[in-house]
Amino acid sequence: ILNVEQSPQSLHVQEGDSTNFTCSFPSSNFYALHWYRWETAKSPEALFVMTLNGDEKKKGRISATLNTKEGYSYLYIKGSQPEDSATYLCAPLGGTSYGKLTFGQGTILTVHP
Amino acid sequence: DADVTQTPRNRITKTGKRIMLECSQTKGHDRMYWYRQDPGLGLRLIYYSFDVKDINKGEISDGYSVSRQAQAKFSLSLESAIPNQTALYFCATSDNARQGPYNEQFFGPGTRLTVL
């Protein structure tokens, strides 16, 4: 089981603010990193799957970067909107995980109008 | 229609009862997973199956069993439910095509189970 830490645990921002949060994971034997968004009363949905050191992915106002050498990924949201309120989960995949994701506890984002 | 469905969506049961949670998918994926979610703990893997004949324990399999009846169906059973199995349970699927473990997982709507 991989040790995955997400910070902060929760975050409150005002509409229009930009924000970011962190996912830390073991850098050894890295294989891939998944980010999911989980809105209240819905199911988690994949945002990004990242594999290469230095990789940067973008979807609308949300982007993510990956540093596999030091074992972290940042998720950025530019100009937060109330509909961005959700729990953001990261899940690294190690080389010996045989396809099993280990999820962090998540960062709960609340965007106030 | 949803690609990944779970039944029931909500269930209240008593300690000691046997209960089965069912998951069906129309995505044609070979890989299926069962997770439970407890507040502050994220999603934890209970069991996973990479094809009909390949079933494996996850990190918290004690007290649970599974059955992969077909490519499209993966059931989770609690043989004798206990209160600390009260949680939100998710089924998920993923493709095992050439990208292998890079492939994103698709989640069902969840089953909220309460064991009294």
Coordinates of all heavy atoms in Angstrom, one line a residue, chain A residues 1 31-32 34 36 38 41-46 49 51 89 93 97-106, chain B residues 9 31 33 35 37 40-43 45 48 50 57-59 88 90 101-105 107-110:
Chain A
I1 N 0.9 -1.2 0.0 CA 0.0 0.0 0.0 C 0.9 1.2 0.0 O 1.8 1.4 0.8 CB -0.9 0.0 1.2 CG1 -1.8 -1.2 1.3 CG2 -1.7 1.3 1.2 CD1 -2.6 -1.3 2.5
Y31 N 4.7 4.8 -11.5 CA 4.1 4.3 -12.8 C 3.2 5.3 -13.4 O 3.3 5.6 -14.5 CB 3.4 2.9 -12.5 CG 3.4 2.0 -13.7 CD1 4.5 1.7 -14.4 CD2 2.2 1.4 -14.1 CE1 4.5 0.9 -15.5 CE2 2.2 0.5 -15.1 CZ 3.3 0.3 -15.8 OH 3.3 -0.6 -16.9
A32 N 2.2 5.8 -12.6 CA 1.2 6.7 -13.1 C 0.6 7.4 -11.9 O 0.6 7.0 -10.8 CB 0.2 6.0 -14.0
H34 N -3.3 9.3 -11.1 CA -4.6 9.7 -11.5 C -5.1 10.8 -10.6 O -4.9 10.8 -9.4 CB -5.6 8.5 -11.3 CG -5.3 7.4 -12.2 ND1 -6.4 6.7 -12.8 CD2 -4.2 6.8 -12.7 CE1 -5.9 5.7 -13.6 NE2 -4.6 5.8 -13.5
Y36 N -8.9 12.6 -9.6 CA -10.4 12.5 -9.8 C -11.1 13.6 -9.1 O -10.6 14.1 -8.0 CB -10.9 11.1 -9.2 CG -10.5 9.9 -10.0 CD1 -9.2 9.4 -9.8 CD2 -11.3 9.3 -10.8 CE1 -8.8 8.3 -10.5 CE2 -11.0 8.2 -11.6 CZ -9.7 7.7 -11.4 OH -9.3 6.6 -12.1
W38 N -14.7 14.6 -7.2 CA -15.9 13.9 -6.7 C -16.8 15.0 -6.1 O -16.5 15.5 -5.0 CB -15.4 12.9 -5.6 CG -16.5 12.1 -5.0 CD1 -17.8 12.0 -5.5 CD2 -16.4 11.3 -3.8 NE1 -18.5 11.2 -4.6 CE2 -17.7 10.8 -3.6 CE3 -15.4 11.1 -2.9 CZ2 -18.0 9.9 -2.5 CZ3 -15.7 10.3 -1.8 CH2 -16.9 9.7 -1.6
A41 N -22.9 13.9 -3.8 CA -24.0 13.1 -4.3 C -23.8 12.5 -5.7 O -24.7 12.0 -6.3 CB -25.3 13.9 -4.3
K42 N -22.5 12.6 -6.1 CA -22.2 12.0 -7.4 C -21.1 11.0 -7.3 O -20.6 10.7 -6.2 CB -21.8 13.1 -8.4 CG -22.9 14.1 -8.8 CD -22.5 15.0 -9.9 CE -23.7 15.9 -10.3 NZ -23.3 16.9 -11.3
S43 N -20.6 10.5 -8.4 CA -19.5 9.5 -8.4 C -18.2 10.2 -8.7 O -18.2 11.2 -9.5 CB -19.7 8.4 -9.4 OG -21.0 7.9 -9.3
P44 N -17.1 9.7 -8.2 CA -15.8 10.3 -8.7 C -15.6 10.2 -10.2 O -16.0 9.1 -10.8 CB -14.8 9.4 -8.0 CG -15.5 8.8 -6.8 CD -16.9 8.6 -7.3
E45 N -15.1 11.2 -10.8 CA -14.8 11.2 -12.2 C -13.4 11.6 -12.5 O -12.8 12.5 -11.9 CB -15.7 12.2 -13.0 CG -17.2 11.8 -13.0 CD -18.1 12.8 -13.8 OE1 -17.6 13.9 -14.1 OE2 -19.2 12.4 -14.1
A46 N -12.8 10.9 -13.4 CA -11.4 11.1 -13.7 C -11.2 12.5 -14.4 O -11.9 13.0 -15.2 CB -10.9 10.1 -14.7
V49 N -4.9 11.5 -16.1 CA -3.9 10.4 -15.8 C -2.6 10.9 -16.3 O -2.4 11.3 -17.5 CB -4.4 9.1 -16.5 CG1 -3.3 8.0 -16.3 CG2 -5.7 8.7 -16.1
T51 N 1.8 10.4 -16.5 CA 2.8 9.3 -16.4 C 4.2 9.9 -16.4 O 5.1 9.2 -15.9 CB 2.6 8.3 -17.5 OG1 2.7 9.0 -18.8 CG2 1.2 7.6 -17.4
L89 N -9.4 14.0 -5.5 CA -8.7 12.8 -5.1 C -7.5 12.5 -6.0 O -7.7 12.6 -7.2 CB -9.6 11.6 -5.1 CG -10.8 11.6 -4.2 CD1 -11.8 10.5 -4.6 CD2 -10.4 11.4 -2.7
L93 N 0.0 5.2 -8.8 CA 0.1 3.8 -9.2 C 1.5 3.4 -9.2 O 2.3 4.0 -10.0 CB -0.6 3.5 -10.6 CG -0.6 2.1 -11.1 CD1 -1.5 1.3 -10.2 CD2 -1.1 2.1 -12.5
S97 N 2.1 -2.3 -8.1 CA 0.7 -2.2 -7.7 C -0.2 -3.1 -8.5 O -1.3 -3.3 -8.2 CB 0.2 -0.8 -7.7 OG 1.0 0.0 -6.8
Y98 N 0.3 -3.6 -9.7 CA -0.5 -4.5 -10.5 C -1.8 -3.8 -10.9 O -2.9 -4.5 -10.8 CB -0.7 -5.8 -9.9 CG 0.7 -6.5 -9.6 CD1 1.1 -6.6 -8.3 CD2 1.5 -7.0 -10.6 CE1 2.4 -7.1 -8.0 CE2 2.7 -7.5 -10.3 CZ 3.1 -7.6 -9.0 OH 4.4 -8.2 -8.7
G99 N -1.8 -2.5 -11.2 CA -3.0 -1.9 -11.7 C -3.9 -1.4 -10.6 O -5.0 -0.8 -10.8
K100 N -3.5 -1.5 -9.3 CA -4.4 -1.1 -8.2 C -4.0 0.3 -7.8 O -2.9 0.6 -7.5 CB -4.2 -2.0 -7.0 CG -4.6 -3.4 -7.2 CD -4.2 -4.2 -5.9 CE -2.7 -4.2 -5.6 NZ -2.4 -5.0 -4.4
L101 N -5.0 1.2 -7.8 CA -4.8 2.6 -7.4 C -4.9 2.7 -5.8 O -5.7 2.0 -5.2 CB -5.9 3.5 -8.0 CG -5.9 3.7 -9.5 CD1 -7.1 4.5 -9.9 CD2 -4.6 4.3 -10.0
T102 N -4.1 3.6 -5.3 CA -4.2 3.9 -3.8 C -4.6 5.3 -3.8 O -3.8 6.2 -4.2 CB -2.8 3.7 -3.1 OG1 -2.4 2.3 -3.3 CG2 -2.9 4.0 -1.7
F103 N -5.8 5.6 -3.2 CA -6.3 6.9 -3.2 C -5.8 7.7 -1.9 O -5.8 7.1 -0.8 CB -7.8 6.9 -3.2 CG -8.4 6.6 -4.6 CD1 -8.6 5.3 -5.0 CD2 -8.8 7.7 -5.4 CE1 -9.1 5.0 -6.2 CE2 -9.3 7.4 -6.7 CZ -9.5 6.1 -7.1
G104 N -5.5 9.0 -2.1 CA -5.3 9.8 -1.0 C -6.7 10.2 -0.3 O -7.7 9.8 -0.9
Q105 N -6.6 10.8 0.8 CA -7.9 11.1 1.5 C -8.7 12.3 0.9 O -9.8 12.5 1.2 CB -7.6 11.4 3.0 CG -7.2 12.8 3.3 CD -5.7 13.1 3.0 OE1 -5.0 12.3 2.4 NE2 -5.1 14.1 3.6
G106 N -8.0 13.0 0.0 CA -8.7 14.0 -0.8 C -8.6 15.4 -0.2 O -8.3 15.6 1.0
Chain B
R9 N -29.2 1.2 -4.0 CA -28.5 2.5 -3.8 C -28.4 2.8 -2.3 O -27.4 3.4 -1.9 CB -29.3 3.6 -4.5 CG -29.3 3.4 -6.0 CD -27.9 3.6 -6.7 NE -27.3 4.9 -6.2 CZ -27.5 6.1 -6.7 NH1 -28.4 6.2 -7.7 NH2 -26.9 7.1 -6.2
R31 N -11.8 -5.0 -16.3 CA -11.4 -4.8 -14.9 C -12.5 -4.2 -14.1 O -13.1 -3.2 -14.5 CB -10.2 -3.9 -14.9 CG -9.0 -4.5 -15.6 CD -7.7 -3.6 -15.5 NE -6.6 -4.3 -16.1 CZ -5.3 -4.0 -15.9 NH1 -5.0 -2.9 -15.1 NH2 -4.3 -4.7 -16.5
Y33 N -13.7 -3.2 -9.8 CA -13.2 -3.0 -8.5 C -14.3 -2.7 -7.5 O -15.4 -2.1 -7.9 CB -12.3 -1.7 -8.5 CG -11.3 -1.7 -9.6 CD1 -11.6 -1.3 -10.9 CD2 -9.9 -2.0 -9.4 CE1 -10.7 -1.2 -11.9 CE2 -9.0 -2.0 -10.4 CZ -9.3 -1.6 -11.7 OH -8.4 -1.6 -12.7
Y35 N -14.7 -0.6 -3.9 CA -14.1 0.3 -2.9 C -15.1 0.6 -1.8 O -16.3 0.6 -2.0 CB -13.7 1.7 -3.5 CG -12.7 1.6 -4.6 CD1 -13.0 1.5 -5.9 CD2 -11.3 1.7 -4.2 CE1 -12.0 1.5 -6.9 CE2 -10.3 1.7 -5.2 CZ -10.7 1.6 -6.5 OH -9.7 1.6 -7.5
Q37 N -15.8 3.9 1.1 CA -15.4 5.2 1.4 C -15.9 5.5 2.8 O -17.1 5.4 3.1 CB -15.9 6.3 0.4 CG -15.2 7.6 0.5 CD -15.9 8.5 1.5 OE1 -17.1 8.4 1.8 NE2 -15.1 9.4 2.1
G40 N -13.0 11.0 5.7 CA -11.6 11.3 6.1 C -10.6 10.2 5.7 O -9.4 10.4 5.9
L41 N -11.1 9.2 5.0 CA -10.2 8.1 4.7 C -10.0 7.8 3.2 O -9.3 7.0 2.8 CB -10.7 6.8 5.3 CG -10.5 6.7 6.9 CD1 -11.0 5.3 7.3 CD2 -9.1 6.9 7.3
G42 N -10.7 8.6 2.4 CA -10.6 8.4 0.9 C -11.2 7.0 0.5 O -12.0 6.4 1.3
L43 N -10.9 6.6 -0.6 CA -11.4 5.3 -1.2 C -10.4 4.2 -0.9 O -9.2 4.3 -1.2 CB -11.6 5.4 -2.7 CG -12.7 6.4 -3.1 CD1 -12.6 6.6 -4.6 CD2 -14.1 5.8 -2.8
L45 N -9.6 0.0 -1.4 CA -9.9 -1.1 -2.3 C -10.2 -2.3 -1.4 O -9.4 -2.7 -0.6 CB -8.7 -1.3 -3.2 CG -8.9 -2.4 -4.2 CD1 -10.0 -2.0 -5.2 CD2 -7.5 -2.6 -5.0
Y48 N -10.7 -6.7 -6.3 CA -10.6 -6.3 -7.7 C -10.5 -7.5 -8.5 O -10.0 -8.6 -8.1 CB -9.5 -5.3 -8.0 CG -8.1 -5.8 -7.7 CD1 -7.3 -6.2 -8.8 CD2 -7.5 -5.9 -6.4 CE1 -6.0 -6.7 -8.6 CE2 -6.3 -6.4 -6.2 CZ -5.5 -6.8 -7.3 OH -4.2 -7.3 -7.0
F50 N -9.5 -8.6 -12.6 CA -9.0 -8.2 -13.9 C -9.6 -8.9 -15.1 O -9.5 -8.5 -16.2 CB -7.4 -8.3 -14.0 CG -6.7 -7.1 -13.3 CD1 -5.4 -7.1 -13.1 CD2 -7.4 -6.1 -12.7 CE1 -4.7 -6.1 -12.5 CE2 -6.8 -5.1 -12.0 CZ -5.4 -5.1 -11.9
K57 N -7.7 -9.9 -3.6 CA -8.0 -9.1 -2.5 C -7.3 -7.8 -2.5 O -6.2 -7.7 -3.0 CB -7.5 -9.8 -1.2 CG -8.2 -11.1 -0.9 CD -7.7 -11.8 0.4 CE -8.5 -13.0 0.7 NZ -8.0 -13.7 2.0
G58 N -8.0 -6.8 -2.0 CA -7.5 -5.5 -1.9 C -6.9 -5.3 -0.5 O -6.6 -6.2 0.2
E59 N -6.9 -4.0 -0.1 CA -6.2 -3.7 1.2 C -7.1 -4.0 2.4 O -6.6 -4.2 3.5 CB -5.8 -2.3 1.3 CG -6.8 -1.2 1.1 CD -6.3 0.2 1.1 OE1 -5.9 0.6 2.2 OE2 -6.4 0.8 0.0
L88 N -20.0 4.0 2.5 CA -20.4 4.2 1.1 C -19.6 3.3 0.2 O -18.3 3.4 0.3 CB -20.3 5.7 0.7 CG -20.7 6.1 -0.7 CD1 -22.2 5.8 -1.0 CD2 -20.4 7.6 -0.9
F90 N -18.4 1.8 -3.5 CA -18.4 2.1 -5.0 C -17.9 1.0 -5.7 O -16.9 0.3 -5.3 CB -17.5 3.3 -5.2 CG -18.1 4.7 -4.9 CD1 -17.7 5.4 -3.8 CD2 -19.0 5.2 -5.8 CE1 -18.2 6.6 -3.5 CE2 -19.6 6.5 -5.5 CZ -19.2 7.2 -4.3
P101 N -2.6 0.0 -16.9 CA -2.9 0.7 -15.7 C -3.0 2.2 -15.8 O -3.4 2.9 -14.9 CB -1.8 0.3 -14.7 CG -0.7 -0.1 -15.6 CD -1.3 -0.7 -16.8
Y102 N -2.7 2.7 -17.0 CA -2.9 4.2 -17.1 C -4.4 4.5 -17.3 O -4.8 5.7 -17.1 CB -2.2 4.6 -18.4 CG -0.7 4.4 -18.5 CD1 0.0 4.4 -19.7 CD2 0.0 4.2 -17.3 CE1 1.3 4.2 -19.8 CE2 1.4 4.0 -17.4 CZ 2.0 4.0 -18.6 OH 3.4 3.8 -18.7
N103 N -5.2 3.5 -17.6 CA -6.5 3.8 -17.9 C -7.3 4.3 -16.7 O -7.3 3.7 -15.6 CB -7.2 2.6 -18.5 CG -6.7 2.2 -19.8 OD1 -6.2 3.1 -20.6 ND2 -6.7 1.0 -20.2
E104 N -8.1 5.3 -16.9 CA -8.9 5.9 -15.8 C -10.0 4.9 -15.4 O -10.4 4.0 -16.2 CB -9.6 7.1 -16.3 CG -10.6 6.9 -17.4 CD -11.2 8.2 -18.0 OE1 -12.1 8.7 -17.4 OE2 -10.6 8.7 -19.0
Q105 N -10.5 5.0 -14.2 CA -11.5 4.2 -13.7 C -12.9 4.9 -13.8 O -12.9 6.1 -13.6 CB -11.2 3.7 -12.2 CG -10.0 2.8 -12.2 CD -9.8 2.2 -10.8 OE1 -10.6 2.3 -9.9 NE2 -8.7 1.5 -10.6
F107 N -16.7 5.1 -12.2 CA -17.3 4.7 -11.0 C -18.9 4.6 -11.1 O -19.5 5.4 -11.9 CB -17.0 5.7 -9.9 CG -15.6 5.6 -9.4 CD1 -14.6 6.1 -10.0 CD2 -15.4 4.9 -8.2 CE1 -13.2 6.0 -9.6 CE2 -14.1 4.7 -7.7 CZ -13.0 5.3 -8.4
G108 N -19.5 3.7 -10.4 CA -20.9 3.6 -10.3 C -21.4 4.7 -9.3 O -20.6 5.4 -8.7
P109 N -22.7 4.8 -9.1 CA -23.3 5.8 -8.3 C -23.1 5.6 -6.8 O -23.4 6.5 -6.0 CB -24.8 5.8 -8.7 CG -25.0 4.4 -9.1 CD -23.7 3.9 -9.8
G110 N -22.7 4.4 -6.4 CA -22.5 4.2 -5.0 C -23.7 3.5 -4.3 O -24.8 3.7 -4.7

